[in-house]
Amino acid sequence: MASETTAASINRPEGAERESEERRAAMRGEPPFAPEPVTDSRLVASLKEAGITAALIAAITVFFFAVKTDIGVGGLDLTTRPWLWVIWVGIAFVGRFLLSFFIFKAERPVTGWFKRTQAGPSRLPVGKIVAVVFLCLALALPFLLASFLPSQNRYLLDLAILILTYVMLGWGLNIVVGLAGLLDLGYVAFYAVGAYSFALLAQNFNLGFWVCLPMAGLFAAAWGVMLGFPVLRLRGDYLAIVTLAFGEIIRVVLLNWSDFTGGPNGVLGIPKPTLFGLEFTRGDNSFADYFGIHYDPTQRFVFLYYIILALALLTNFVTLRMRKLPVGRAWEALREDEIACRSLGINTVNVKLTAFATGAMFGGFAGAFFATRQGFISPESFTFIESAIILAIVVLGGLGSQLGVAIAAVVMIGGIELLRNLGFLHAVFGASFDPTQYRMLIFGLAMVCIMVWKPRGLVSSRSPSAIYKEKKKIGADLVSQGEGH
């Protein structure tokens, strides 16, 4: 009776299909009932992958680390550095082994410790607390440096100004990429337009910084609209290529239009900002003379620091306010789905133009500040690598996250400068080792590590701009990424 039941179940379609699947699983593409192939253990597989990676790195970097050429008398001097080559190959081996053993080959990768399956309401607003702490630290930074690090006050102030400049640029690009979802690889073009607009207006019309600053932003916004019109129907990779070409076109025009922009020689003698007409110099009618205080060269750096801090906070404030307005919600709707955005009656043309123009305006403000801080600009200051760094800051910080962009700018820009002061690197790699020469390699490694552990950026939660009854944070995996939709 049981055999008849079994035969009947096999004759049924689902029974026959199940038997066929079991037979195929047992055969595994080989003669029937072949034993299951033996697989390497987790340790052995990780060691194999680490060995292959180390061999590839050794072959690729042999002419970068193992040998070095210097200009000598009558030719080139060849210096061998096998120890440096072996050290980097060892670093590659260890790094790949750790990744394979703890992440790729592990049943429970360590990256799962940093993930939350469901983003729920938190008891403490950690993001707001961190933002307030950062703000208070930024406001008091010049006084803290003067009190605790007086010998390095000027250097650290200059570094803080550079970091805040990239924070402002990151927040400006975050409008285009993070909120509107339009991938822009030529953001440095608006940076250049703002810098040259300020420099040429100040020199040719004898205007001050505070008069030229809004005009530089308006000129950059106009160029953003000009870029927006040709790319209205483009998306994805095509949009990225067009914006990349736009950035290169601006640089080439600045380089070749010598009569107007100075060409490769750039623009010299750009005026410095003043405080109600008071210059930060020695002599009469200066800031120190008017207030009756001792003149200190760091006073100008403190003033520049608070200017860029005010501009960065203005960028953040405007961005947060616009996210709650209809235009900000339209940006996010465009990022999620352009077809659905059109079905709701939203004019996607105007939405894209406002995103490009707003982001470009803040890029123009940053460019004007860069010009007055440097006192000299040239086309070589606005290459594609600048756009890549700004975009990397936005991506690593988290698309659409203001706090994440600020943290990423501090880590990426300040971290490279921090390498200069790490003395133990010279003890490991030699006295002639300059870590800043490998900054792009460090950038690449940082991006790989962040994308492995935090693929959605350092800040992977988002606060919705529109709420119903109760405000709840959502995971970044539920938010569309900037792909030029």
Side-chain angles (χ1 to χ4, degrees), residues 457-475:
L458 294 173
V459 179
S460 57
S461 62
R462 302 290 181 268
S463 297
S465 57
I467 60 175
Y468 177 70
K469 290 185 178 180
E470 184 180 359
K471 185 176 182 179
K472 297 181 179 180
K473 288 187 176 181
I474 57 177

Side-chain angles (χ1 to χ4, degrees), residues 397-427:
L399 294 174
S401 173
Q402 299 291 94
L403 180 60
V405 169
I407 296 175
V410 173
V411 172
M412 292 186 64
I413 305 303
I416 295 299
E417 292 296 326
L418 182 63
L419 291 175
R420 299 178 186 270
N421 301 321
L422 297 181
F424 73 90
L425 293 177
H426 297 284

Side-chain angles (χ1 to χ4, degrees), residues 16 90 118 126 165 184 344 349 387 395 442 469 482:
Q118 184 178 3
V126 180
T165 304
D184 188 356
L344 294 174
V349 174
S387 290
V395 173
I442 296 172
K469 290 185 178 180

Side-chain angles (χ1 to χ4, degrees), residues 265-276:
N265 296 326
V267 182
L268 291 168
I270 302 174
K272 303 296 182 182
T274 60
L275 179 62
F276 299 106

Side-chain angles (χ1 to χ4, degrees), residues 256-289:
N256 291 284
W257 198 359
S258 302
D259 297 336
F260 183 64
T261 64
N265 296 326
V267 182
L268 291 168
I270 302 174
K272 303 296 182 182
T274 60
L275 179 62
F276 299 106
L278 300 176
E279 297 181 355
F280 290 84
T281 58
R282 295 181 183 272
D284 299 334
N285 298 326
S286 64
F287 176 82
D289 178 67

Side-chain angles (χ1 to χ4, degrees), residues 89-105:
V89 172
I91 292 175
F93 179 86
V94 174
R96 179 61 186 183
F97 174 77
L98 294 177
L99 287 175
S100 299
F101 190 79
F102 291 104
I103 298 178
F104 301 137
K105 299 297 183 182

Side-chain angles (χ1 to χ4, degrees), residues 114-174:
F114 305 99
K115 296 180 180 179
R116 294 191 301 177
T117 56
Q118 184 178 3
S122 57
R123 296 180 180 179
L124 293 175
V126 180
K128 290 184 178 180
I129 294 176
V130 174
V132 171
V133 171
F134 270 40
L135 178 59
C136 295
L137 182 62
L139 291 174
L141 183 62
F143 304 100
L144 296 176
L145 294 178
S147 301
F148 297 102
L149 296 171
S151 60
Q152 298 182 342
N153 186 16
R154 182 171 177 176
Y155 165 72
L156 294 177
L157 270 178
D158 195 49
L159 177 59
I161 292 171
L162 180 63
I163 292 174
L164 283 175
T165 304
Y166 278 95
V167 169
M168 182 178 179
L169 289 170
W171 281 342
L173 183 60
N174 197 30

Side-chain angles (χ1 to χ4, degrees), residues 2 11 25-26 33 36 62 78 136 147 150 163 167 206 218 232 235 241 259 312 321 343 363 370 385 430 447 473:
N11 292 330
F33 308 105
E36 185 177 355
V62 62
L78 182 64
C136 295
S147 301
I163 292 174
V167 169
N206 196 23
L218 291 177
L232 292 178
R235 62 180 64 184
I241 292 172
D259 297 336
R321 293 298 299 173
S343 67
F370 173 78
I385 192 63
M447 293 185 68
K473 288 187 176 181

